[in-house]
Amino acid sequence: MYMSIDRKKNTKTKILDAAFSVFAENGYQDTTISDIVSKSGLSKGAIYHHYGSKKELFISLIDHWEIFSFPNFYSKDNAQESASNALLRFTEVVYDAFKLNSNVFLAEIEFWALANKDPEIKKRSKVLYDKILKLFELVLKKGIRNGEFEDMDTKIVSIELLSVFQGINWFCLFNEDKALAGKYLKKSINIILDGIKKRS
């Protein structure tokens, strides 16, 4: 009997969520498939049905991390939204993700550590970050076209935005008051917006 698409998707999500938590807690080298089995409540066979190895599972987490942490905020559904509001809304979404599961951001530290040792992980990580920066650039260019923002080097400002989102979340991982992340993110993004907005 074939597994339904929804059930298959739910199983993979359960595996990936468990893997995020275990990798963040133990690190890549000290994590075993058995650890993920225990955390997910699934069988080892169920995990190997979807992922052939620990490395394959870890690489899949890169895409899962993007969906969880940096949802596509530049979509047709929000075509009429101002660029400023898009960035402020995105700030709220990232903060909500941080509150829901900060382990996702801890796991990112593992991505970077392994990217320096494994060319495949480095390549996949670069594709992800290039995609995120491109999304920021699209929003910034929209703001320039609409007269919201001054002309700017959108690539540099995109890097600045990404650095703020990641830097503040990483800093706040080690603080028990998760509300600080939301406060710092909003303040920092508003400072950037104030610096690039078009003056009359």
Side-chain angles (χ1 to χ4, degrees):
M1 181 181 293
Y2 291 103
M3 184 182 294
S4 70
I5 294 175
D6 286 343
R7 185 181 172 191
K8 183 176 181 180
K9 184 177 180 181
N10 289 338
T11 300
K12 291 184 75 171
T13 299
K14 197 170 185 179
I15 293 169
L16 292 168
D17 286 344
F20 258 131
S21 180
V22 175
F23 281 128
E25 184 177 346
N26 299 342
Y28 178 80
Q29 297 298 337
D30 293 332
T31 292
T32 66
I33 292 295
S34 294
D35 294 328
I36 298 170
V37 166
S38 297
K39 187 71 175 180
S40 67
L42 298 169
S43 68
K44 187 173 288 189
I47 292 176
Y48 278 118
H49 174 74
H50 294 286
Y51 304 101
S53 66
K54 182 174 77 169
K55 180 180 175 180
E56 183 182 335
L57 173 54
F58 186 81
I59 289 175
S60 294
L61 284 177
I62 296 174
D63 295 329
H64 190 59
W65 177 86
E66 175 194 1
I67 293 168
F68 184 88
S69 308
F70 288 91
N72 186 354
F73 64 100
Y74 192 79
S75 66
K76 292 180 180 179
D77 293 337
N78 301 307
Q80 303 305 315
E81 185 177 35
S82 70
S84 296
N85 284 343
L87 290 172
L88 290 171
R89 177 171 54 81
F90 183 64
T91 302
E92 293 288 345
V93 171
V94 171
Y95 175 52
D96 287 343
F98 179 80
K99 287 189 297 182
L100 181 64
N101 188 359
S102 59
N103 278 337
V104 171
F105 295 90
L106 278 171
E108 188 188 0
I109 297 173
E110 284 295 305
F111 294 156
W112 279 114
L114 286 170
N116 289 324
K117 303 174 183 177
D118 189 301
E120 186 177 1
I121 293 174
K122 183 176 183 177
K123 182 179 179 180
R124 289 289 292 273
S125 297
K126 185 179 185 304
V127 169
L128 168 62
Y129 282 100
D130 285 347
K131 181 179 179 180
I132 294 169
L133 289 172
K134 186 66 176 177
L135 288 172
F136 282 134
E137 284 200 74
L138 287 171
V139 174
L140 293 171
K141 288 176 180 177
K142 176 182 178 180
I144 294 171
R145 288 196 309 271
N146 292 347
E148 292 178 67
F149 302 152
E150 297 280 3
D151 194 18
M152 71 184 90
D153 186 326
T154 55
K155 184 172 183 178
I156 290 177
V157 178
S158 294
I159 292 172
E160 184 179 2
L161 286 166
L162 182 57
S163 298
V164 165
F165 283 117
Q166 292 194 299
I168 288 176
N169 281 329
W170 286 351
F171 175 78
C172 291
L173 282 172
F174 307 102
N175 195 305
E176 292 183 2
D177 186 1
K178 301 301 182 188
L180 285 176
K183 178 181 177 181
Y184 294 158
L185 283 170
K186 290 175 187 176
K187 181 68 174 177
S188 298
I189 296 305
N190 275 307
I191 288 173
I192 293 174
L193 288 174
D194 187 62
I196 63 177
K197 72 179 180 182
K198 194 161 190 175
R199 311 294 176 182
S200 56

